[in-house]
Amino acid sequence: MNSKIPITDISDATPSKEANKPEVIELYASRKKIYVREIKGFFQRIRNLSLTVLLLMYFGLAWVTVDGNPLIHFDLPARKFTLFGTVFWPQDFTLLAIALIICAFGLFFITSLFGRVWCGYSCPQTVWSFMFMWLEERIEGSRNQRMKLDKQPLSRQKVVKKTLKHISWMLLAFATGLTFVGYFYPIRELTSDLFTLSISSGAAIFWIAFFTLATYINAGWMREQVCLHMCPYARFQSVMFNQDTLIIGYDYNRGEPRGSRSKKAKTDLGDCVDCNVCVQVCPTGIDIRDGLQYECIGCALCVDACDSIMARMNYPKGLIRYASEKELEGKTKQTKLNIRSIGYGLTLAAAMSAFLFALNQRPLVELDVLRDRGSLYQVSGMGMIENNYELKIINKRKVEDQFSVHMSGLEGELNVPDSITVAPGEVRSIPLSIAVDPKNLQNSTEEISLEVRSISDPNTSASSDSRFLGPVNF
Ligand code: SF4
Ligand code: SF4
């Protein structure tokens, strides 16, 4: 066999000046503005429904009260958090820790089965970005009209449209910031204080301004940049993926070779007509035909877009669809539960059971005893040894209650009212003085236990240990 490799002599070739220039690689790529095309379809309808429900909850729940108390209220100065009528205290930290574990494993479980549905349908960044895009479309027009408007020189019409858009964005951002702070500072008082200019809390004004600005910038200007560069979840969610996870994927085998064609023409091409509509509707500006990418937030806009094109061409829908990698490769017909999803599911179930158990076992009354650190003890005129304490009684129940105080471990006299009234969901601090006859003291430090007991229901009680101090030699 006589095969030759063709050789070209380039030794005399003089390199041009351009070729000699060192190549400059920009490490910073400036953002290219994405003009998202509006599309209607099945998944967009589902998202509209989920956005409506979530927004109604966000803007509405802050105003709901039950028996005059907010349904949700994070009262930071009083260190008490009301969630759907149940009051939580810093002492309920275990419950909070379990609740966070439930949220994390809930997210892992859903992601391992259904991919980034959280990002596509319920993440606040998606919800607010879609609302801002909706306003933009209503004011500045369709994708093509917006692109044309941006290229136009400054004109009266351009200034009016841009101003209206930014005013509408700012109003929505302000409503968002005000509502957020309304979960910490009862919203009725907040709005009345704010609009009558009688608000005295500098912190409330600061946080309203902060969240207004953050919403305006994140949803109006940064949009997909938040998902691509700021969200940690986008980076680590791929570890929860496996070949059975539902993703949004392009059916390469069916779509390729792609190419434009007329509707009736006979062709050997695949089903992709290379119309680029799936790219134009993508809020992160990617081409899903290039395969699974971390930029894909799973919004399914490209599914709706491609389905509408397939319907127009009289081709079956689903060239871009929800499918597992195995399905797209033709290895399986349906998505299966895998060992990782089962592990996440079992951990989630265990965490939920632990939460319900801890909630059920949560004491409804708690007692904290603080010794007066200013003095070890006093000797009264009657020769009694006295120690001072502060009792903090926490009534987590929804009814007012009266409590009596008892001591064990030492015989002595308690100087405290016979009945202490504590309102529902309140912490009552009460001073307590204990006087002990020196004859009853065996040591300079005696361990004591104090107990508060409900007068109406003696089974409801709480106790706390402390110490009683006396002179070293008596
Ligand atoms: S919308 Fe569908 S047909 Fe059009 S380019 Fe995308 S994949 Fe191809
Ligand atoms: S590729 Fe499709 S699903 Fe992914 S972000 Fe873009 S439009 Fe949404």
Side-chain angles (χ1 to χ4, degrees):
M1 201 167 106
N2 186 17
S3 65
K4 283 186 182 171
I5 299 172
I7 296 172
T8 310
D9 184 0
I10 59 163
S11 55
D12 285 343
T14 322
S16 69
K17 276 189 179 172
E18 278 300 308
N20 273 340
K21 266 191 183 173
E23 193 188 352
V24 179
I25 300 170
E26 284 282 346
L27 291 179
Y28 175 75
S30 57
R31 180 195 179 220
K32 260 177 97 181
K33 185 169 176 182
I34 297 172
Y35 294 89
V36 180
R37 178 172 167 166
E38 200 174 59
I39 189 84
K40 291 190 171 70
F42 177 72
F43 294 106
Q44 182 62 346
R45 279 201 296 280
I46 293 184
R47 186 179 8 269
N48 286 345
L49 189 69
S50 89
L51 298 196
T52 310
V53 171
L54 290 170
L55 288 171
L56 280 177
M57 282 170 67
Y58 176 76
F59 287 111
L61 285 178
W63 294 89
V64 180
T65 53
V66 177
D67 298 333
N69 298 313
L71 192 66
I72 299 177
H73 184 208
F74 303 102
D75 190 346
L76 294 181
R79 292 181 182 79
K80 83 179 180 188
F81 310 117
T82 310
L83 283 176
F84 299 100
T86 306
V87 182
F88 294 90
W89 303 85
Q91 289 84 348
D92 299 319
F93 179 79
T94 324
L95 280 170
L96 175 69
I98 304 174
L100 290 177
I101 292 172
I102 291 174
C103 293
F105 275 90
L107 193 60
F108 297 166
F109 180 58
I110 289 175
T111 304
S112 70
L113 287 178
F114 307 115
R116 293 180 72 172
V117 281
W118 159 260
C119 303
Y121 295 88
S122 42
C123 170
Q125 178 63 24
T126 305
V127 173
W128 264 262
S129 291
F130 272 78
M131 282 203 299
F132 274 52
M133 286 194 285
W134 184 84
L135 285 170
E136 192 171 50
E137 179 101 13
R138 303 286 85 69
I139 296 167
E140 289 188 358
S142 67
R143 178 176 187 266
N144 288 342
Q145 288 168 326
R146 294 200 306 275
M147 288 164 82
K148 213 166 129 198
L149 186 73
D150 280 0
K151 281 191 194 135
Q152 273 175 17
L154 210 57
S155 64
R156 193 165 158 266
Q157 185 212 28
K158 185 169 178 173
V159 171
V160 169
K161 284 191 172 180
K162 294 277 172 198
T163 311
L164 270 180
K165 179 178 85 173
H166 288 286
I167 290 175
S168 69
W169 281 1
M170 277 308 271
L171 286 175
L172 181 53
F174 174 71
T176 306
L178 183 71
T179 307
F180 189 84
V181 175
Y183 283 104
F184 294 83
Y185 184 128
I187 198 156
R188 285 185 170 78
E189 280 172 46
L190 179 66
T191 43
S192 113
D193 290 355
L194 195 67
F195 294 120
T196 54
L197 300 180
S198 58
I199 189 161
S200 58
S201 167
I205 297 172
F206 171 81
W207 288 113
I208 292 172
F210 178 86
F211 285 108
T212 301
L213 207 61
T215 309
Y216 173 72
I217 293 173
N218 284 351
W221 294 88
M222 296 184 70
R223 292 194 187 159
E224 81 288 347
Q225 301 291 305
V226 175
C227 310
L228 303 188
H229 306 298
M230 291 163 70
C231 175
Y233 177 57
R235 298 280 164 175
F236 76 77
Q237 42 103 24
S238 57
V239 298
M240 291 162 233
F241 277 43
N242 54 60
Q243 286 207 311
D244 288 309
T245 302
L246 267 190
I247 52 168
I248 289 177
Y250 167 67
D251 192 336
Y252 186 87
N253 296 327
R254 187 185 140 190
E256 300 296 317
R258 67 184 78 159
S260 58
R261 83 247 9 212
S262 77
K263 200 170 162 183
K264 286 182 186 145
K266 289 229 182 295
T267 169
D268 292 334
L269 295 170
D271 280 358
C272 174
V273 298
D274 209 12
C275 60
N276 246 15
V277 179
C278 53
V279 182
Q280 292 169 9
V281 299
C282 178
T284 62
I286 58 168
D287 188 342
I288 193 67
R289 294 172 298 171
D290 295 340
L292 180 62
Q293 295 147 74
Y294 87 93
E295 291 96 334
C296 174
I297 58 166
C299 65
L301 283 177
C302 54
V303 179
D304 283 337
C306 192
D307 279 351
S308 71
I309 302 294
M310 293 295 107
R312 242 183 271 166
M313 296 297 292
N314 286 331
Y315 293 165
K317 289 181 180 177
L319 178 58
I320 300 176
R321 62 178 184 273
Y322 276 103
S324 69
E325 260 186 272
K326 278 188 185 165
E327 273 179 84
L328 288 170
E329 286 167 10
K331 289 184 190 162
T332 173
K333 282 267 174 251
Q334 52 188 306
T335 303
K336 284 189 250 146
L337 264 184
N338 58 75
I339 190 79
R340 193 180 299 173
S341 311
I342 294 171
Y344 289 142
L346 288 177
T347 315
L348 178 63
M352 287 169 87
S353 312
F355 183 83
L356 290 177
F357 179 76
L359 190 64
N360 196 34
Q361 296 295 312
R362 192 173 73 122
L364 294 175
V365 177
E366 285 200 27
L367 172 69
D368 274 346
V369 179
L370 307 171
R371 254 199 112 262
D372 179 6
R373 291 176 187 273
S375 72
L376 295 178
Y377 62 90
Q378 291 109 39
V379 182
S380 72
M382 309 284 288
M384 303 284 270
I385 309 292
E386 288 182 355
N387 278 203
N388 295 321
Y389 304 82
E390 186 188 356
L391 299 185
K392 278 191 181 217
I393 306 169
I394 305 166
N395 180 11
K396 296 182 183 176
R397 297 198 301 178
K398 291 179 187 164
V399 288
E400 182 182 277
D401 210 346
Q402 277 84 37
F403 296 92
S404 56
V405 183
H406 309 267
M407 178 174 72
S408 58
L410 193 62
E411 209 173 293
E413 197 180 298
L414 305 184
N415 294 316
V416 70
D418 290 341
S419 165
I420 303 162
T421 305
V422 188
E426 237 195 12
V427 183
R428 174 99 193 259
S429 291
I430 198 117
L432 162 73
S433 167
I434 302 177
V436 174
D437 190 325
K439 282 190 291 192
N440 294 333
L441 288 172
Q442 307 293 320
N443 302 296
S444 57
T445 303
E446 296 281 359
E447 301 294 329
I448 58 169
S449 176
L450 290 160
E451 183 190 39
V452 286
R453 210 177 287 155
S454 164
I455 294 171
S456 58
D457 173 15
N459 290 328
T460 303
S461 63
S463 61
S464 182
D465 294 336
S466 190
R467 286 179 305 159
F468 187 92
L469 304 181
V472 176
N473 299 310
F474 47 83

